[in-house]
Amino acid sequence: MKVFITRKIPEKGIEILKNNNIEIIINPYERQLEKEEIITYAQDCEAIITLLSDKIDRELIDRLPKMKIIANYAVGYNNIDFNYCREKGIYVTNTPGVLTETTADLGFALILSTARKIPQSHIFTKHGMFKGWEPMLFLGHDVYGKTLGIIGLGRIGQAVAKRASGFSMNVLYYSPEKNVEGEKNTGAVHTDLENLAQKSDFIIITCPLTEKTKHMIDRKVLSKMKQTAILINLARGPIVDEKVLIEFLKNDKIAGAGFDVYENEPEIPDELKNLENVVILPHIGSASYETRTNMAVLSAQAVVSTLVKNEKPDITVW
């Protein structure tokens, strides 16, 4: 039994695999692998633990004849052609639940950092530019008592909404269908996307990337936003039309934006990097020691279930 891991994961996951006599092959490089490299390393493997940045398409799947399971080290799985995996009888798993609170923490950190210009102030002070208190120095926007619009009231969206209650925020949410249980848990009020864009002081994206949500945040939606509003993308880059958003930010049509994900990740447009009204992060939504370890455990357990126990893993995409 062999598993290929496309990037080193926390040791606890490795230990679970070793303790079950599964041979482990790990990407030896400190970089993302190309498709041909993944195929070469995983050629004789029955399992592969992938990252969201690994594109697992039909060609790759067809060229790994022994594959029984693809364990995606992420909650999302839009990087995998999971419908084709279903046809081929290959399990696809992900890591939902364990990263909810950690990702919501980062989402709220982005709200606060962008609103109060925390990174910009840090760089200014660190470089010795602070000469004393000034009435107009790094003026930002209040968060307390404002209206938060959440796009997608799933696990992470609800966790963000609960944090917003501590800031006495009015919470709106948009999803194609009402989430009655989510409303009970958070007090969030369902509305359409246009009204959410018009009413919200902060908008945070926590929905999955699908064909329907790609470029959901387009010129029409951005045009409805307040000039003082801030957009946070915690979900997937392609949900936002990045070129149009940059235009709105450059022309101060909205106040700012915070990003943990990008449309063509890991590429980030220089125009976006050079804007002073944005906060950009390197996709660290789940980046805590505890959460990344739990993700490794879930991935390893899925592999063990498939290869050692000959069972369908507890958490599967299909």
Side-chain angles (χ1 to χ4, degrees):
M1 299 178 293
K2 291 183 182 179
V3 58
F4 175 57
I5 306 175
T6 63
R7 206 70 183 265
K8 191 177 187 308
I9 61 174
E11 193 60 33
K12 195 166 182 179
I14 302 293
E15 289 175 1
I16 290 171
L17 296 169
K18 287 180 177 178
N19 290 340
N20 282 277
N21 298 315
I22 297 173
E23 184 179 339
I24 301 165
I25 304 169
I26 301 176
N27 172 8
Y29 307 109
E30 289 296 322
R31 61 170 174 80
Q32 183 177 332
L33 296 176
E34 300 292 335
K35 179 192 290 187
E36 289 298 327
E37 292 176 308
I38 293 176
I39 292 169
T40 298
Y41 283 113
Q43 188 59 222
D44 294 323
C45 296
E46 293 87 3
I48 182 170
I49 296 178
T50 54
L51 306 186
L52 191 65
S53 53
D54 299 317
K55 185 173 177 58
I56 310 300
D57 59 15
R58 288 185 173 225
E59 180 193 359
L60 189 148
I61 293 165
D62 282 338
R63 292 174 65 185
L64 298 176
K66 296 184 178 180
M67 195 56 53
K68 295 180 179 179
I69 178 173
I70 299 169
N72 214 36
Y73 186 77
V75 66
Y77 48 87
N78 54 285
N79 58 309
I80 300 171
D81 190 336
F82 60 91
N83 286 319
Y84 191 57
C85 287
R86 183 189 289 116
E87 290 178 25
K88 302 277 285 187
I90 300 170
Y91 292 129
V92 177
T93 66
N94 61 343
T95 60
V98 296
L99 50 71
T100 298
E101 303 300 338
T102 304
T103 306
D105 282 348
L106 189 85
F108 221 86
L110 268 173
I111 290 171
L112 293 168
S113 296
T114 308
R116 296 302 304 274
K117 302 183 179 180
I118 302 299
Q120 298 92 327
S121 300
H122 169 75
I123 292 170
F124 178 87
T125 308
K126 188 174 181 179
H127 290 172
M129 300 171 71
F130 176 53
K131 303 302 179 184
W133 186 89
E134 296 178 32
M136 303 299 287
L137 185 62
F138 286 110
L139 296 185
H141 296 272
D142 285 337
V143 175
Y144 186 87
K146 295 296 183 72
T147 296
L148 173 65
I150 301 175
I151 298 177
L153 197 68
R155 292 188 185 94
I156 294 171
Q158 290 181 52
V160 171
K162 289 177 181 178
R163 284 155 178 75
S165 68
F167 285 78
S168 293
M169 299 183 85
N170 174 43
V171 180
L172 304 174
Y173 80 96
Y174 166 73
S175 64
E177 298 179 2
K178 293 185 71 172
N179 184 337
V180 177
E181 189 65 28
E183 291 177 5
K184 289 179 182 178
N185 292 337
T186 64
V189 176
H190 185 261
T191 188
D192 58 60
L193 186 57
E194 181 176 319
N195 188 58
L196 182 143
Q198 290 175 332
K199 299 287 180 63
S200 299
D201 299 296
F202 299 89
I203 295 175
I204 185 165
I205 305 167
T206 59
C207 64
L209 174 63
T210 66
E211 290 183 6
K212 290 184 178 180
T213 62
K214 183 176 181 180
H215 282 190
M216 174 191 289
I217 307 304
D218 56 10
R219 185 177 298 277
K220 181 180 178 181
V221 173
L222 290 166
S223 297
K224 300 293 183 182
M225 290 176 64
K226 301 177 183 179
Q227 191 174 4
T228 55
I230 288 171
L231 177 69
I232 305 295
N233 192 357
L234 194 62
R236 293 291 177 261
I239 295 171
V240 178
D241 188 330
E242 209 166 75
K243 288 183 179 179
V244 176
L245 178 60
I246 290 170
E247 175 193 321
F248 273 66
L249 290 165
K250 286 175 68 175
N251 295 313
D252 294 321
K253 292 182 178 180
I254 63 172
F259 300 82
D260 191 39
V261 290
Y262 308 90
E263 187 163 358
N264 297 299
E265 193 171 317
E267 296 177 16
I268 304 173
D270 288 337
E271 280 187 295
L272 187 59
K273 293 178 185 176
N274 294 330
L275 287 170
E276 294 188 2
N277 55 347
V278 301
V279 175
I280 55 175
L281 303 178
H283 203 151
I284 57 170
S286 61
S288 73
Y289 287 106
E290 297 89 344
T291 294
R292 291 284 171 86
T293 296
N294 288 335
M295 291 167 67
V297 168
L298 281 183
S299 298
Q301 287 174 339
V303 171
V304 170
S305 293
T306 304
L307 301 192
V308 179
K309 300 179 181 179
N310 199 28
E311 298 174 349
K312 182 177 181 179
D314 291 334
I315 300 172
T316 55
V317 171
W318 62 272

